[in-house]
Amino acid sequence: MALIRCCFEPPELPEFFDSFVQKCTDPSCCCGCCSALRPRYKRLVDNIFPVNPEDGLVKSNMEKLTFYSLSSPDKLDRIGEYLYQKATKDINRKRYKLAEIAMEAMDLLLQACHAQTTLNLFVESFLRMVQKLLEDSNPNLKIMATNSFVKFANINEDTPSYHRRYDFFISKFSSMCHSDSQDLRDSLRLAGIKGLQGVIRKTVSDDLVENIWEAQHMEKIVPSLLFNMQFCVNVMFVKKNLLASGDLTPVEDATNVTPPVLAEEVLRELVGRASFGHIRSVLKPLLTHLDRHELWVPNTFAIHTFRIVMISIQPQYSYTVVETLMQHLDSNFKSSPKTRTSLAVVLSKIIAIAAGESVGPSALDIINNLLTHLRTSVSTTTEITAEESQYQEALINALGEFANHHPDYQKIEIMLFIMNTVPDLSKKSKGDQMLQNILLKSLLKVGNQYSTVSFEKAFPASFLQPLLRMARAPHDPTRMIVMQIFQALLDRHQNEQVLSSVSVKPYPALSQEPPSRSDIIFTHKYGANIMQALIDSMALSDRVDALSASFNTAALLIVEMSCSETVQEFLLFILGIQQVASTVETLGAVHRCNLHAISIALLVLISRVSGINNLLEYAQKIIEARRDEASYYLPPLMEPKKVSTKNLNLSLPHLAIDKLALGECMQNAGMDAQRLNTGAPYALNQSDNPGHRHSWVDSVSAHMTQRNSSADLTVYNGDVDSVNSSPGICKKILAPEFNFDAMKRALAEPTEAAKREQRERQMQIVRTFREGEFDDLMRRTEPKHDLIQNRLNELFNSLAVERQITQSDNKTAQLQANSEKPVYETKFPELFYY
């Protein structure tokens, strides 16, 4: 009975019977009758195993088994189940060679029969065998099982599978990625990474299998990959050095696949396959791993990892990575400044990649989040430490990197958005001032990335108006940052460094080109507002660095916009600086001297860039005179605390820039000087409104004497009322001698004697009307009324005569038309009767 039962393979047999049964499967065995009782597929399976396991798979018998499987696909599931049973028995008895042969046979059958419709049933036995090998402690079996699973993962199945689960394989492959075994450690880690790659490929493409994007799976896969990638940065640097030195050839580098390199490749594939709804499933365990293992400081690995993510992700989803990292920064607001700084640096390194795909509201949303972090940093700290300052600088760099990859029109929108978030100047607390500086630094960072082509586009009214208000801020650092913003937007030819110091010497390597028509219009429209703000800024502080910043801005404005149409405005601006230095008594002596030095330096600059030699000669005369009498009126600027004010004589009007002399220089050069002669220099605290176009006539009439309501009624001039009703124009009384000199004097600004005479005359008229008798006033007014009445009568009579003449002419023409009848009407009148 034992010989008969041996062929039915009882679950447990002694070693003797087991070897005997193996012999019974051989046709030459004396018990050939036993083999005839076994199914054919079992006999074929048994024949592939050699007598000596070291000999390996019997290839000829394996070909027979493969042919049988292709001929009878319905037997494929039974073959797989039988191979699994034999492998299980061999593993339990530690006969690993036979188990390897069984696994190899399963691989060959899978590759040969993958097109069969019944492959699903065979796959179940195949996966059970792979699982059995992975559960064993033998590392060779694990590596072999993993390789078999990878081969299976690369097969595209036509029929869907509804009941497969890969959670065991995910757990097992993840544990292999963390292997610390002394033997075959790298091989096991490589096998684990390959296994995870196979699971990803098998599950992502099939919607019916287990969802790989669930948190329980991603929390195993992503940390396993990151664990192996932690040494990737060092390995990468070493390989770069070896390749650069020639010690390692690219072929050798390609053949040596290490766990960090393979893990990076699998992470790229995982992120690249993620859809919009699944990308956060990858990012969450990634951030958790970096937090738990404290990999933010230093942040080399974090930067490397997020760059991989940003490059591998689909471009339209890159904004999600930035948003998730910002949310993680929000959750770490209580962490150490170093950690937050590292997070911000990582953000600055990757935000440029996302900038190209974020437009419209998403771009402003990122800017708003960065500004919120800056405001939070300022509000939560009483004193800005060095580490906190580094954190803020990292956020500002991130903002600048983000804005740098946007077109210029979006940069203007970003700058306007930042400007609208700056606190009002009325808030003078220390925290508000710190926030103003931080936000303006962010604005400056964006401004440095902007390439100015047209000033009209770079300074829209909605942006220029608040910027000019900030230029008058009482806080010195705030004004200096505003000046740097102006310099970044004005400097189109990289002259900022050349003009950084106040000097009367010729500037070398000064790049310049004539302004366009739009720039000239911009100067006419907003130039006065900018120059008034610069004068106010110069008068607010005597700090040398603040004055130098204002000078740099004014110099760039002159270099970029100077032409024959704008040079008079700049000369009035220079006269305005000098007037502030001469008339404002509240300024310190050193401060006033520095303003005189700035005015002469700007005069030399404008004479050089405009090419007016007469102006340059006049400026050189003033410089020579000041060197002899008052060298403190010349650059360089003086420090208020280092100079004694006792030796400073400020009552030297003959060393000042003369307005009439400037006008003569302009006229001698053949240029118009009317604006310079009739206009008043810019003054302190003038109202500016960029939304209203600046009129040069308005600026003249604002400083001229307005018409008094009490006029001299004894003299009548027919066009006085009509002229004075015109806005901004006051009629001048012409001299009795109407020659060229008289008209030139009339057009010029009235002298002090003429002004004094006019005031005395007006006071006399007022006293006459206040103290004079009523009858006397009646006599003064009667002639005027009679004259007006006579003039009106003459006009009415002339109109009546013209009306009569017109009527008579019309009657005459009508009679002539009636008298001249057509020829046909005279000869054939009956034709027109009915």
Side-chain angles (χ1 to χ4, degrees):
M1 291 299 294
L3 293 177
I4 298 175
R5 290 183 61 189
C6 71
C7 296
F8 294 96
E9 293 192 16
E12 292 294 338
L13 289 174
E15 186 69 21
F16 171 76
F17 290 103
D18 187 69
S19 60
F20 183 75
V21 171
Q22 292 292 335
K23 294 179 181 180
C24 288
T25 59
D26 191 358
S28 61
C29 180
C30 59
C31 296
C33 59
C34 297
S35 61
L37 299 176
R38 296 168 58 80
R40 184 182 179 187
Y41 73 89
K42 287 189 178 183
R43 284 183 278 128
L44 292 174
V45 169
D46 292 336
N47 290 338
I48 66 174
F49 292 93
V51 178
N52 184 11
E54 299 295 334
D55 295 339
L57 183 68
V58 181
K59 298 296 182 65
S60 58
N61 293 336
M62 186 64 214
E63 292 176 358
K64 295 178 183 179
L65 178 62
T66 304
F67 179 77
Y68 177 78
S69 301
L70 293 173
S71 303
S72 304
D74 54 324
K75 297 293 193 298
L76 193 59
D77 57 332
R78 301 181 185 180
I79 295 173
E81 181 65 24
Y82 184 56
L83 279 172
Y84 168 72
Q85 291 178 3
K86 291 183 69 65
T88 302
K89 184 188 299 183
D90 293 334
I91 292 173
N92 293 335
R93 296 177 180 178
K94 308 297 181 182
R95 295 185 293 192
Y96 296 126
K97 289 294 182 180
L98 295 176
E100 293 177 3
I101 293 173
M103 190 72 252
E104 184 180 357
M106 293 283 273
D107 290 341
L108 294 175
L109 289 175
L110 186 69
Q111 296 294 328
C113 307
H114 68 272
Q116 300 292 339
T117 56
T118 58
L119 184 64
N120 272 335
L121 298 177
F122 176 76
V123 168
E124 294 302 322
S125 302
F126 174 82
L127 293 178
R128 288 171 62 193
M129 180 176 287
V130 172
Q131 180 176 346
K132 187 66 178 178
L133 267 64
L134 290 174
E135 290 175 348
D136 196 77
S137 59
N138 190 343
N140 292 324
L141 289 183
K142 292 181 180 180
I143 295 173
M144 185 176 187
T146 304
N147 294 332
S148 300
F149 183 84
V150 171
K151 294 176 183 177
F152 162 71
N154 292 328
I155 295 176
N156 295 323
E157 300 181 60
D158 297 331
T159 57
S161 176
Y162 299 92
H163 54 280
R164 289 187 200 155
R165 295 186 61 86
Y166 295 96
D167 50 352
F168 168 79
F169 297 101
I170 295 173
S171 301
K172 194 63 181 178
F173 291 143
S174 299
S175 65
M176 290 172 63
C177 291
H178 295 82
S179 176
D180 288 331
S181 176
Q182 297 296 329
D183 299 333
L184 302 176
R185 188 193 67 175
D186 290 346
S187 299
L188 286 173
R189 290 186 179 183
L190 280 172
I193 297 170
K194 290 179 181 178
L196 291 177
Q197 186 180 28
V199 174
I200 293 170
R201 291 178 178 177
K202 201 64 180 177
T203 54
V204 170
S205 59
D206 194 350
D207 296 333
L208 299 175
V209 298
E210 190 171 4
N211 186 9
I212 194 66
W213 304 109
E214 291 182 359
Q216 57 180 347
H217 301 318
M218 286 292 108
E219 288 175 357
K220 299 175 183 177
I221 295 175
V222 175
S224 301
L225 299 176
L226 295 177
F227 175 78
N228 286 274
M229 286 174 56
Q230 289 179 16
F231 309 100
C232 184
V233 179
N234 297 330
V235 172
M236 180 179 61
F237 289 154
V238 170
K239 286 186 176 181
K240 284 184 178 179
N241 295 332
L242 291 175
L243 286 172
S245 61
D247 296 335
L248 181 65
T249 61
V251 177
E252 293 175 352
D253 181 55
T255 55
N256 296 329
V257 179
T258 59
V261 175
L262 185 59
E264 180 179 325
E265 179 183 347
V266 175
L267 182 63
R268 291 177 186 272
E269 183 176 351
L270 177 66
V271 175
R273 292 175 178 266
S275 63
F276 178 75
H278 297 147
I279 188 61
R280 295 183 187 273
S281 301
V282 180
L283 295 176
K284 186 176 179 180
L286 190 152
L287 294 172
T288 304
H289 180 81
L290 295 176
D291 289 338
R292 288 178 177 175
H293 296 272
E294 299 179 354
L295 297 175
W296 293 112
V297 181
N299 58 1
T300 306
F301 176 70
I303 293 174
H304 179 69
T305 303
F306 272 96
R307 277 179 173 169
I308 292 173
V309 173
M310 294 299 294
I311 294 173
S312 305
I313 198 174
Q314 300 181 39
Q316 63 270 25
Y317 305 150
S318 58
Y319 169 74
T320 309
V321 182
V322 177
E323 187 180 29
T324 305
L325 193 56
M326 284 186 174
Q327 293 174 356
H328 192 68
L329 188 58
D330 286 335
S331 60
N332 283 271
F333 72 97
K334 292 184 179 180
S335 300
S336 63
K338 287 185 177 181
T339 303
R340 287 185 281 118
T341 302
S342 298
L343 274 165
V345 170
V346 173
L347 188 62
S348 66
K349 297 296 183 181
I350 69 167
I351 200 170
I353 303 174
E357 301 297 329
S358 59
V359 293
S362 62
L364 295 180
D365 188 23
I366 291 177
I367 296 297
N368 187 33
N369 288 336
L370 291 172
L371 295 179
T372 302
H373 288 301
L374 285 172
R375 286 193 293 267
T376 304
S377 173
V378 174
S379 60
T380 55
T381 55
T382 56
E383 294 184 0
I384 299 297
T385 60
E387 295 179 350
E388 195 70 26
S389 178
Q390 291 177 0
Y391 168 63
Q392 295 170 359
E393 290 294 333
L395 288 175
I396 293 173
N397 290 334
L399 194 149
E401 288 294 331
F402 180 74
N404 187 30
H405 290 74
H406 282 81
D408 286 343
Y409 74 92
Q410 278 196 319
K411 291 177 184 176
I412 292 295
E413 293 180 358
I414 292 172
M415 288 192 289
L416 182 59
F417 182 80
I418 297 173
M419 178 58 73
N420 292 332
T421 61
V422 178
D424 191 8
L425 291 176
S426 59
K427 300 179 180 180
K428 298 181 180 180
S429 64
K430 185 176 180 180
D432 291 326
Q433 290 180 356
M434 291 168 55
L435 184 57
Q436 287 175 2
N437 294 342
I438 291 297
L439 295 178
L440 287 176
K441 285 182 181 179
S442 304
L443 183 59
L444 175 61
K445 193 70 176 180
V446 181
N448 288 329
Q449 311 294 342
Y450 181 78
S451 299
T452 304
V453 178
S454 172
F455 291 120
E456 186 177 4
K457 295 180 180 179
F459 294 100
S462 56
F463 174 65
L464 181 60
Q465 186 174 5
L467 197 62
L468 292 178
R469 286 200 305 267
M470 299 300 296
R472 297 182 173 94
H475 195 218
D476 291 340
T478 302
R479 290 198 314 275
M480 293 176 63
I481 297 174
V482 173
M483 292 302 150
Q484 292 176 6
I485 294 171
F486 271 113
Q487 294 161 17
L489 297 178
L490 288 173
D491 188 17
R492 293 184 298 189
H493 300 89
Q494 288 72 45
N495 294 319
E496 190 268 333
Q497 292 294 332
V498 180
L499 301 172
S500 59
S501 60
V502 183
S503 175
V504 293
K505 297 179 181 179
Y507 292 100
L510 193 63
S511 177
Q512 185 190 10
E513 65 176 337
S516 62
R517 188 61 192 169
S518 63
D519 293 339
I520 296 174
I521 294 174
F522 174 82
T523 308
H524 291 171
K525 194 173 183 181
Y526 300 117
N529 308 130
I530 298 174
M531 289 184 279
Q532 287 167 4
L534 289 175
I535 291 177
D536 294 341
S537 175
M538 292 179 186
L540 285 173
S541 175
D542 58 354
R543 288 178 52 179
V544 174
D545 52 356
L547 290 174
S548 298
S550 299
F551 167 81
N552 198 346
T553 304
L556 288 172
L557 189 69
I558 290 173
V559 171
E560 294 291 341
M561 300 185 183
S562 179
C563 65
S564 60
E565 299 182 35
T566 59
V567 65
Q568 297 183 73
E569 282 298 306
F570 293 129
L571 291 176
L572 288 176
F573 169 58
I574 294 171
L575 292 173
I577 299 174
Q578 179 179 265
Q579 183 175 352
V580 171
S582 302
T583 59
V584 180
E585 300 293 339
T586 57
L587 300 181
V590 178
H591 190 182
R592 296 165 69 178
C593 293
N594 287 336
L595 290 180
H596 281 293
I598 289 175
S599 62
I600 190 63
L602 291 176
L603 179 61
V604 173
L605 177 65
I606 194 173
S607 61
R608 292 186 182 278
V609 297
S610 61
I612 305 175
N613 294 327
N614 294 330
L615 274 180
L616 184 58
E617 293 175 0
Y618 174 68
Q620 293 296 337
K621 291 179 182 179
I622 298 177
I623 292 171
E624 293 297 331
R626 290 185 179 184
R627 282 175 180 167
D628 295 337
E629 300 183 37
S631 60
Y632 45 84
Y633 271 20
L634 294 175
L637 302 182
M638 299 180 293
E639 290 284 351
K641 297 181 180 180
K642 298 180 181 180
V643 178
S644 176
T645 59
K646 296 179 180 180
N647 300 326
L648 301 180
N649 183 12
L650 303 179
S651 300
L652 300 172
H654 62 284
L655 297 179
I657 303 172
D658 185 48
K659 179 180 178 181
L660 295 178
L662 293 178
E664 291 179 1
C665 292
M666 295 286 292
Q667 291 175 356
N668 294 334
M671 301 181 67
D672 183 24
Q674 181 180 2
R675 165 67 179 147
L676 182 62
N677 293 328
T678 59
Y682 291 94
L684 284 177
N685 303 322
Q686 291 184 355
S687 61
D688 57 359
N689 183 13
H692 172 67
R693 177 171 178 170
H694 174 68
S695 175
W696 292 349
V697 178
D698 293 343
S699 62
V700 177
S701 61
H703 300 278
M704 294 179 64
T705 306
Q706 298 298 323
R707 181 174 180 264
N708 198 294
S709 61
S710 301
D712 186 3
L713 301 179
T714 61
V715 180
Y716 174 74
N717 194 343
D719 60 347
V720 168
D721 291 335
S722 62
V723 171
N724 282 316
S725 64
S726 300
I729 299 177
C730 295
K731 182 176 178 58
K732 293 179 179 291
I733 300 175
L734 296 178
E737 298 178 359
F738 299 105
N739 53 20
F740 179 77
D741 293 334
M743 284 191 279
K744 182 177 178 181
R745 289 193 300 270
L747 291 174
E749 188 75 15
T751 61
E752 293 296 332
K755 292 181 180 179
R756 185 166 53 253
E757 182 182 353
Q758 185 179 6
R759 287 195 296 268
E760 292 176 356
R761 187 180 175 207
Q762 289 176 354
M763 293 300 296
Q764 184 179 0
I765 294 174
V766 172
R767 285 195 300 269
T768 301
F769 275 87
R770 287 180 178 176
E771 301 173 0
E773 298 292 337
F774 181 73
D775 295 335
D776 187 17
L777 295 177
M778 287 292 293
R779 284 193 303 271
R780 286 177 178 272
T781 57
E782 281 177 359
K784 182 177 179 181
H785 290 301
D786 294 340
L787 184 61
I788 292 176
Q789 188 63 39
N790 294 335
R791 183 65 61 86
L792 289 175
N793 292 333
E794 291 177 2
L795 290 174
F796 290 150
N797 292 333
S798 63
L799 290 175
V801 171
E802 290 179 0
R803 190 180 297 110
Q804 292 177 359
I805 293 173
T806 304
Q807 290 177 356
S808 62
D809 292 341
N810 292 336
K811 290 181 180 180
T812 304
Q814 186 176 2
L815 291 173
Q816 291 177 358
N818 294 333
S819 62
E820 296 178 0
K821 294 183 179 180
V823 176
Y824 60 83
E825 198 174 89
T826 302
K827 291 183 178 182
F828 306 101
E830 65 273 11
L831 296 177
F832 300 93
Y833 292 159
Y834 182 73

